[in-house]
Amino acid sequence: MSSAPWTHIRRVKTLYKVVLRLHRGLPAEVKELGDLYVKDEFRRHKNCTPDEANVFLNEWADYAIGLSEQLGLRGPRSAKPLGKPLDLSDLDNMRDEQVQQLYELMKAVQNPEDSKSAEHSDPKNDLR
């Protein structure tokens, strides 16, 4: 077995652990939702292509860097407000599956009881 797959596996596991560790700094309800989302995303991308894996890892690494900056891991004075505005061009570049997933996440955060009924709405219109 070559060292390349081991390096990739180690990168994935390390990033996964870093993200979950960063979530410890989030409010409890956000942490719970975030942890479920992270676990689901990593599980779904377990057998993706190498190109998809690179994009996936880069996006999650950017998320981890952004979250660490928001949480102020270099000291309380460096903390920023949690969250990041979504640019409309990002929304236009997403696949339908990604838009639906983002929409479901938005509905779950806004009103947990009503998130099930969100499946019949048009996500792109509601996210704008």
Side-chain angles (χ1 to χ4, degrees), residues 89-105:
S89 64
D90 291 335
L91 186 62
D92 290 336
N93 292 327
M94 289 183 179
R95 296 186 317 264
D96 288 342
E97 174 187 310
Q98 292 172 311
V99 172
Q100 183 66 37
Q101 191 174 19
L102 181 62
Y103 180 70
E104 289 171 11
L105 182 61

mmCIF file of all heavy atoms in Angstrom, residues 89-105:
data_model
loop_
_atom_site.group_PDB
_atom_site.id
_atom_site.type_symbol
_atom_site.label_atom_id
_atom_site.label_comp_id
_atom_site.label_asym_id
_atom_site.label_seq_id
_atom_site.Cartn_x
_atom_site.Cartn_y
_atom_site.Cartn_z
ATOM 1 N N SER A 89 -23.912 35.142 -5.780
ATOM 2 C CA SER A 89 -23.225 34.420 -6.855
ATOM 3 C C SER A 89 -22.854 33.005 -6.389
ATOM 4 O O SER A 89 -22.843 32.070 -7.196
ATOM 5 C CB SER A 89 -21.987 35.176 -7.321
ATOM 6 O OG SER A 89 -21.037 35.262 -6.284
ATOM 7 N N ASP A 90 -22.570 32.845 -5.095
ATOM 8 C CA ASP A 90 -22.302 31.501 -4.562
ATOM 9 C C ASP A 90 -23.546 30.633 -4.684
ATOM 10 O O ASP A 90 -23.466 29.464 -5.050
ATOM 11 C CB ASP A 90 -21.877 31.566 -3.092
ATOM 12 C CG ASP A 90 -20.516 32.191 -2.901
ATOM 13 O OD1 ASP A 90 -19.703 32.153 -3.845
ATOM 14 O OD2 ASP A 90 -20.273 32.726 -1.805
ATOM 15 N N LEU A 91 -24.689 31.206 -4.378
ATOM 16 C CA LEU A 91 -25.956 30.478 -4.468
ATOM 17 C C LEU A 91 -26.235 30.057 -5.908
ATOM 18 O O LEU A 91 -26.653 28.931 -6.163
ATOM 19 C CB LEU A 91 -27.090 31.340 -3.925
ATOM 20 C CG LEU A 91 -28.457 30.700 -3.807
ATOM 21 C CD1 LEU A 91 -28.423 29.533 -2.839
ATOM 22 C CD2 LEU A 91 -29.478 31.725 -3.351
ATOM 23 N N ASP A 92 -25.973 30.954 -6.851
ATOM 24 C CA ASP A 92 -26.196 30.633 -8.269
ATOM 25 C C ASP A 92 -25.270 29.532 -8.762
ATOM 26 O O ASP A 92 -25.617 28.806 -9.693
ATOM 27 C CB ASP A 92 -26.006 31.886 -9.131
ATOM 28 C CG ASP A 92 -27.119 32.901 -8.923
ATOM 29 O OD1 ASP A 92 -28.224 32.500 -8.512
ATOM 30 O OD2 ASP A 92 -26.870 34.097 -9.165
ATOM 31 N N ASN A 93 -24.099 29.389 -8.151
ATOM 32 C CA ASN A 93 -23.134 28.382 -8.573
ATOM 33 C C ASN A 93 -23.336 27.030 -7.900
ATOM 34 O O ASN A 93 -22.637 26.076 -8.216
ATOM 35 C CB ASN A 93 -21.706 28.872 -8.319
ATOM 36 C CG ASN A 93 -21.336 30.024 -9.223
ATOM 37 O OD1 ASN A 93 -21.775 30.097 -10.358
ATOM 38 N ND2 ASN A 93 -20.539 30.944 -8.716
ATOM 39 N N MET A 94 -24.267 26.951 -6.966
ATOM 40 C CA MET A 94 -24.506 25.686 -6.262
ATOM 41 C C MET A 94 -25.372 24.750 -7.090
ATOM 42 O O MET A 94 -26.233 25.189 -7.850
ATOM 43 C CB MET A 94 -25.211 25.950 -4.931
ATOM 44 C CG MET A 94 -24.358 26.591 -3.906
ATOM 45 S SD MET A 94 -25.305 26.762 -2.366
ATOM 46 C CE MET A 94 -24.079 27.497 -1.332
ATOM 47 N N ARG A 95 -25.135 23.463 -6.904
ATOM 48 C CA ARG A 95 -26.005 22.448 -7.508
ATOM 49 C C ARG A 95 -27.330 22.455 -6.755
ATOM 50 O O ARG A 95 -27.416 22.908 -5.612
ATOM 51 C CB ARG A 95 -25.353 21.062 -7.409
ATOM 52 C CG ARG A 95 -24.062 20.924 -8.196
ATOM 53 C CD ARG A 95 -23.526 19.493 -8.189
ATOM 54 N NE ARG A 95 -23.585 18.838 -6.898
ATOM 55 C CZ ARG A 95 -22.566 18.781 -6.029
ATOM 56 N NH1 ARG A 95 -21.421 19.356 -6.310
ATOM 57 N NH2 ARG A 95 -22.706 18.148 -4.883
ATOM 58 N N ASP A 96 -28.376 21.951 -7.401
ATOM 59 C CA ASP A 96 -29.701 21.928 -6.779
ATOM 60 C C ASP A 96 -29.678 21.200 -5.436
ATOM 61 O O ASP A 96 -30.326 21.619 -4.482
ATOM 62 C CB ASP A 96 -30.726 21.272 -7.707
ATOM 63 C CG ASP A 96 -31.072 22.143 -8.901
ATOM 64 O OD1 ASP A 96 -30.803 23.365 -8.844
ATOM 65 O OD2 ASP A 96 -31.617 21.612 -9.881
ATOM 66 N N GLU A 97 -28.910 20.115 -5.366
ATOM 67 C CA GLU A 97 -28.805 19.350 -4.120
ATOM 68 C C GLU A 97 -28.208 20.205 -2.993
ATOM 69 O O GLU A 97 -28.651 20.154 -1.851
ATOM 70 C CB GLU A 97 -27.931 18.122 -4.363
ATOM 71 C CG GLU A 97 -27.620 17.316 -3.122
ATOM 72 C CD GLU A 97 -26.604 16.220 -3.410
ATOM 73 O OE1 GLU A 97 -26.801 15.462 -4.380
ATOM 74 O OE2 GLU A 97 -25.627 16.134 -2.647
ATOM 75 N N GLN A 98 -27.205 21.024 -3.333
ATOM 76 C CA GLN A 98 -26.576 21.890 -2.344
ATOM 77 C C GLN A 98 -27.533 22.984 -1.881
ATOM 78 O O GLN A 98 -27.582 23.312 -0.699
ATOM 79 C CB GLN A 98 -25.312 22.528 -2.917
ATOM 80 C CG GLN A 98 -24.198 21.542 -3.163
ATOM 81 C CD GLN A 98 -23.046 22.172 -3.910
ATOM 82 O OE1 GLN A 98 -23.249 22.830 -4.934
ATOM 83 N NE2 GLN A 98 -21.837 21.981 -3.406
ATOM 84 N N VAL A 99 -28.294 23.547 -2.824
ATOM 85 C CA VAL A 99 -29.266 24.582 -2.475
ATOM 86 C C VAL A 99 -30.329 24.003 -1.551
ATOM 87 O O VAL A 99 -30.695 24.621 -0.543
ATOM 88 C CB VAL A 99 -29.910 25.186 -3.744
ATOM 89 C CG1 VAL A 99 -31.047 26.124 -3.382
ATOM 90 C CG2 VAL A 99 -28.869 25.903 -4.579
ATOM 91 N N GLN A 100 -30.809 22.816 -1.857
ATOM 92 C CA GLN A 100 -31.820 22.175 -1.017
ATOM 93 C C GLN A 100 -31.270 21.909 0.383
ATOM 94 O O GLN A 100 -31.942 22.153 1.379
ATOM 95 C CB GLN A 100 -32.295 20.857 -1.658
ATOM 96 C CG GLN A 100 -33.399 20.167 -0.888
ATOM 97 C CD GLN A 100 -34.689 20.957 -0.876
ATOM 98 O OE1 GLN A 100 -35.043 21.598 -1.860
ATOM 99 N NE2 GLN A 100 -35.400 20.935 0.231
ATOM 100 N N GLN A 101 -30.046 21.456 0.449
ATOM 101 C CA GLN A 101 -29.418 21.171 1.739
ATOM 102 C C GLN A 101 -29.243 22.460 2.553
ATOM 103 O O GLN A 101 -29.519 22.488 3.761
ATOM 104 C CB GLN A 101 -28.073 20.502 1.496
ATOM 105 C CG GLN A 101 -27.441 19.921 2.707
ATOM 106 C CD GLN A 101 -26.180 19.147 2.358
ATOM 107 O OE1 GLN A 101 -25.596 19.322 1.282
ATOM 108 N NE2 GLN A 101 -25.753 18.297 3.256
ATOM 109 N N LEU A 102 -28.811 23.520 1.906
ATOM 110 C CA LEU A 102 -28.660 24.809 2.573
ATOM 111 C C LEU A 102 -30.007 25.327 3.060
ATOM 112 O O LEU A 102 -30.133 25.841 4.170
ATOM 113 C CB LEU A 102 -28.008 25.815 1.622
ATOM 114 C CG LEU A 102 -27.754 27.201 2.171
ATOM 115 C CD1 LEU A 102 -26.771 27.135 3.348
ATOM 116 C CD2 LEU A 102 -27.196 28.102 1.081
ATOM 117 N N TYR A 103 -31.020 25.159 2.245
ATOM 118 C CA TYR A 103 -32.370 25.591 2.602
ATOM 119 C C TYR A 103 -32.880 24.828 3.829
ATOM 120 O O TYR A 103 -33.443 25.420 4.751
ATOM 121 C CB TYR A 103 -33.298 25.390 1.406
ATOM 122 C CG TYR A 103 -34.723 25.806 1.658
ATOM 123 C CD1 TYR A 103 -35.045 27.153 1.795
ATOM 124 C CD2 TYR A 103 -35.737 24.870 1.742
ATOM 125 C CE1 TYR A 103 -36.350 27.544 2.026
ATOM 126 C CE2 TYR A 103 -37.036 25.255 1.968
ATOM 127 C CZ TYR A 103 -37.340 26.590 2.108
ATOM 128 O OH TYR A 103 -38.631 26.970 2.333
ATOM 129 N N GLU A 104 -32.682 23.527 3.836
ATOM 130 C CA GLU A 104 -33.117 22.714 4.969
ATOM 131 C C GLU A 104 -32.377 23.119 6.239
ATOM 132 O O GLU A 104 -32.966 23.174 7.323
ATOM 133 C CB GLU A 104 -32.925 21.232 4.670
ATOM 134 C CG GLU A 104 -33.897 20.708 3.633
ATOM 135 C CD GLU A 104 -33.589 19.305 3.159
ATOM 136 O OE1 GLU A 104 -32.737 18.625 3.773
ATOM 137 O OE2 GLU A 104 -34.195 18.878 2.165
ATOM 138 N N LEU A 105 -31.102 23.430 6.107
ATOM 139 C CA LEU A 105 -30.318 23.894 7.249
ATOM 140 C C LEU A 105 -30.844 25.236 7.753
ATOM 141 O O LEU A 105 -31.015 25.431 8.953
ATOM 142 C CB LEU A 105 -28.847 24.002 6.848
ATOM 143 C CG LEU A 105 -27.864 24.418 7.927
ATOM 144 C CD1 LEU A 105 -27.848 23.414 9.070
ATOM 145 C CD2 LEU A 105 -26.466 24.555 7.336
#
